[in-house]
Every structure is written in structure tokens, then in C-alpha cells.
Amino acid sequence: MYAQMVKSTGKGVKSREEMTEEERHFQDRVDADEKIEPKDWMPEGYRKTLIRQIAQHAHSEVVGQLPEGNWITRAPTLERKAILLAKVQDEAGHGLYLYCAAETLGISRDELTEKLLDGSMKYSSIFNYPTLNWADIGAVGWLVDGAAIMNQVPLQRTSYGPYSRAMIRICKEESFHQRQGYDIMMKMAKGTPEQKRMAQDAMNRFWYPALMMFGPSDKDSVHSAQSMAWKIKINTNDELRQKFVDQTVPQAEYLGLTIPDPDLKWNEETGHYDFSEPDWSEFYEVLKGNGPCNTERLEARRKAWDDGAWVRDGLMAHAEKRAARRTAAE
Ligand code: FAQ
């Protein structure tokens, strides 16, 4: 199983002969689908990769509240407002489960937030794109949550116990998010000509950024081979991107929307859709901080962190007082 994965995903992974006794034992546990728990021995690289991936995911959930939060006050009906409010609150909850999972690896939530704010940790590229009108909220739910679920369902089987358990709950909620997005798109796409135009415009702007969410193509992915050998990742970036395209094309057809890719076509031989790759130079620019909303997103998070300092200080002072009282009573 291990050998097969290394073969299918590339180089850069230690062979069994190169591993220490501890590493071999660890790899055997992973290969046997045993969950790795916080107090178990793990290679330092496994711990670091998990912190990077889980924290990046947590930051994405938190920053991901901003583009949709932007439309809570302007939702077209009270019902849509209540649904969107609940969805955005769910994203905050996902961030919290994931920060908790990362904390079990020996890093604090404060440190993780500081790394987000100083730019040494990333969040998903998708949240650096603006939500310009209500149709964008439909496109985010349908395409962005749709891509997120495609990536996250397999992560329920990831080898690290706390991460895998967090993903189970997150996936249940993400399914509802995807449905609510599709419902908005259905209303818009079957509405007035102007609403249909808005739905198509949102689709045009979100299609390629959604494809970028899965990460660079397999030949350029830095971490996939090792992450798959450790079952931190279950599928490659390209496998999941292909599954997403195959799932989304019929949904777009049902809506009567056109996917903005003239080369998209069903391939009888492969049993999959052929499609155009996103513009990877745009992806790397967004990662470098040069996307349309990078500055705005980080400023919003920095302001929230600074404005919340008095709450954190108050809670710490309260906790210290209680601890001192408890010690005095003993
Ligand atoms: N954005 O070697 P790989 C959501 C970086 S949750 C930014 O292939 P890996 C819910 C990558 O970090 C969305 N950076 O990396 C929601 C690495 O750089 P580094 C988030 C990206 O980790 C919906 C470099 O490129 N989901 O949306 C991206 O093996 C609606 C090389 O890449 C997760 O985080 C990107 N798209 O594979 C919330 C899921 N892609 O760190 C609100 C868990 C790659 O060495 C509203 N994460 N990079 O400096 C994963 O599955 C993986 O981390 C991948 C990337 C697949 C994202």
C-alpha cells in the first residue's frame, strides 16, 4: 500500500530502508488505517505538515466569513438573511473546531493567529476575491462550498484523529451550505433576464478561482506525495479538481448556465470532462498577496484581533483569579 502510494504520487518520500525504527512503526500504523492521536509518537514532519494544513484550513474558515458577511445586511429577504447568518456562524464554528485540532499538536491559537496576521501562514486563495452582488452569494455557496466539500469528504478519513473527527461535523454543515447556494442560483437563474444575467456573471467570475481551491496541479504540488503517504491527504489536487468538474457540469446545465470554458467537453474515452486549467500565474500572485482583496481581508482580521484584545485580557484575568482562589482553598 505504502509503496503503491509513493509510486503514484511522486518522489521526496523516504523509503522503508531510509526510515528509523520509530518511523517504520508509525508508517505501519498509518498503512493499517489506525488513527494517530495527540500523545502518540509522530515524525516531526508529520506534526508540522498537519499544523500547516489544519491551521490554513482554520484560517480559511474564519477569513471565509468576510465575503459572505458582507451581504448579511443586504440579503433580499428576511428568510435569506437568517439562512446566511446561520451559514456564516457555521464557518466560525468550523474555524474553532480546527484551531482546537491544531492545538493538540502543541501550538496555541494565539500563535496561529499571529502567523496568519504576519503572513507566514496562508488561507485559501478563494477568499481574496470580492462578492459584488447577491448572485455571488449563490456562487460562493454552490461553487466554493461545493469545492470545499469535495476536498473535505475524504479528509474525514485522514490519519490524524482530532482532524478527522472535526471534519465529520464540518462536512455535514458544508452540505447544507452547498444546497443553500444552489437554491439561490436556482432562483436567480430561473428569474428575470437581469437575474439570470447576474447568475451567469457570478459563475463567470467564480469558476476558475473555485478550481484553484484544490491547489496547484499535481506536477507542481510540493506536499502531496509525503502528505498522501502519511494519509494527511487522501487524494491528489488534480483528482479532486476533476471530480468537482464532473459533478458541477450537470448542475450548471440544469441551471441553464454556461461554464466559461470553450474547451470544456465530455470525453467518452476517459469518462470525464476535459477542461481548461486555471491561470496558475494568477493563483501564485494571489498567494503572494496580490489578489483583489488580500489587503482588505488581512486588515479586517487584524482589526478584529486588536479590538478583541480587551476581551482576551479580561478572560485571562478572570481565569487567573479563579485559579488563585482554588489554590488558596486547597
Ligand atoms: N490557497 O503542495 P500543495 C472553505 C499552497 S475551506 C492558498 O499542493 P497542500 C470553507 C499550499 O499551502 C477552504 N494556498 O499544498 C468555506 C502550499 O504552500 P505552503 C480551505 C494554497 O497543502 C466555504 C503550496 O500552495 N480548505 O472553503 C492553495 O498539499 C465558504 C503548494 O501546494 C482547506 O484548507 C489555495 N487554494 O495542498 C468557508 C482544506 N492551494 O503551505 C467559508 C485542507 C495550495 O507550502 C465560505 N487543505 N496552496 O507555503 C488541503 O486539502 C490542502 O492544504 C490543499 C493544498 C489541497 C488546499
Side-chain angles (χ1 to χ4, degrees):
M1 158 75 91
Y2 170 76
Q4 187 192 335
M5 267 184 189
V6 173
K7 208 168 151 208
S8 67
T9 57
K11 310 171 289 292
V13 183
K14 278 188 189 173
S15 67
R16 278 193 82 79
E17 294 69 44
E18 289 166 326
M19 290 179 188
T20 63
E21 191 55 42
E22 271 172 322
E23 287 170 340
R24 258 195 301 273
H25 175 64
F26 177 83
Q27 189 63 52
D28 289 342
R29 292 190 61 200
V30 169
D31 288 347
D33 284 333
E34 276 182 42
K35 289 285 176 241
I36 307 300
E37 296 298 337
K39 289 187 177 158
D40 296 347
W41 185 87
M42 60 186 79
E44 189 53 19
Y46 178 84
R47 197 182 70 84
K48 281 198 176 139
T49 302
L50 273 174
I51 291 178
R52 182 186 60 80
Q53 180 167 316
I54 300 173
Q56 179 170 320
H57 192 168
H59 296 325
S60 305
E61 300 283 356
V62 171
V63 177
Q65 294 177 95
L66 297 169
E68 288 176 295
N70 182 32
W71 279 88
I72 292 172
T73 54
R74 292 174 287 168
T77 65
L78 181 61
E79 193 189 6
R80 291 286 184 201
K81 189 195 288 279
I83 294 170
L84 184 58
L85 194 58
K87 178 192 190 291
V88 172
Q89 282 176 341
D90 284 352
E91 309 297 2
H94 298 175
L96 297 186
Y97 316 147
L98 289 164
Y99 284 129
C100 287
E103 281 180 312
T104 64
L105 292 154
I107 188 159
S108 71
R109 197 178 304 181
D110 284 9
E111 284 173 89
L112 294 171
T113 306
E114 278 151 17
K115 283 179 186 299
L116 168 71
L117 298 180
D118 72 18
S120 55
M121 272 190 164
K122 297 187 168 73
Y123 58 90
S124 181
S125 49
I126 189 74
F127 302 117
N128 292 306
Y129 291 85
T131 42
L132 303 177
N133 59 49
W134 180 251
D136 288 9
I137 299 304
V140 168
W142 172 35
L143 299 174
V144 175
D145 286 278
I149 304 173
M150 193 54 84
N151 166 280
Q152 292 170 13
V153 164
L155 290 178
Q156 295 176 106
R157 291 181 285 118
T158 191
S159 59
Y160 189 56
Y163 189 24
S164 136
R165 291 188 285 273
M167 289 318 305
I168 292 170
R169 176 150 177 200
I170 291 176
C171 283
K172 288 201 171 83
E173 294 174 349
E174 293 290 15
S175 309
F176 149 71
H177 296 172
Q178 198 264 357
R179 290 299 295 270
Q180 69 85 38
Y182 196 69
D183 189 60
I184 293 175
M185 289 308 264
M186 216 138 64
K187 200 85 182 170
M188 303 287 292
K190 311 274 179 214
T192 63
E194 177 60 9
Q195 284 174 316
K196 181 159 188 194
R197 196 196 57 72
M198 284 169 70
Q200 182 64 56
D201 167 60
M203 162 111 222
N204 293 350
R205 283 180 292 106
F206 276 93
W207 176 250
Y208 286 105
L211 294 187
M212 291 176 197
M213 287 176 70
F214 296 95
S217 58
D218 291 351
K219 64 179 173 21
D220 297 319
S221 171
V222 183
H223 304 288
S224 284
Q226 182 61 77
S227 289
M228 289 181 71
W230 279 332
K231 293 190 188 164
I232 290 175
K233 274 167 91 164
I234 309 296
N235 300 91
T236 72
N237 301 351
D238 285 338
E239 279 169 8
L240 293 174
R241 194 172 3 255
Q242 181 71 60
K243 276 181 103 169
F244 174 73
V245 172
D246 290 347
Q247 174 186 284
T248 309
V249 174
Q251 295 174 356
E253 279 168 1
Y254 184 76
L255 291 173
L257 297 180
T258 309
I259 292 188
D261 177 358
D263 295 328
L264 183 99
K265 62 171 185 311
W266 178 251
N267 184 328
E268 273 305 335
E269 272 173 33
T270 61
H272 297 288
Y273 283 93
D274 291 337
F275 61 96
S276 307
E277 295 255 325
D279 174 356
W280 291 116
S281 60
E282 176 181 320
F283 171 76
Y284 287 113
E285 277 304 307
V286 173
L287 258 56
K288 274 197 265 166
N290 301 327
C293 300
N294 293 61
T295 308
E296 185 184 329
R297 300 294 185 236
L298 273 185
E299 266 170 14
R301 289 316 308 156
R302 196 167 290 119
K303 182 172 183 319
W305 184 242
D306 292 345
D307 289 354
W310 68 273
V311 180
R312 294 192 299 278
D313 291 347
L315 288 172
M316 282 310 289
H318 180 67
E320 277 160 18
K321 248 192 188 157
R322 280 185 61 163
R325 266 207 301 270
R326 210 174 305 128
T327 316
E330 277 166 9

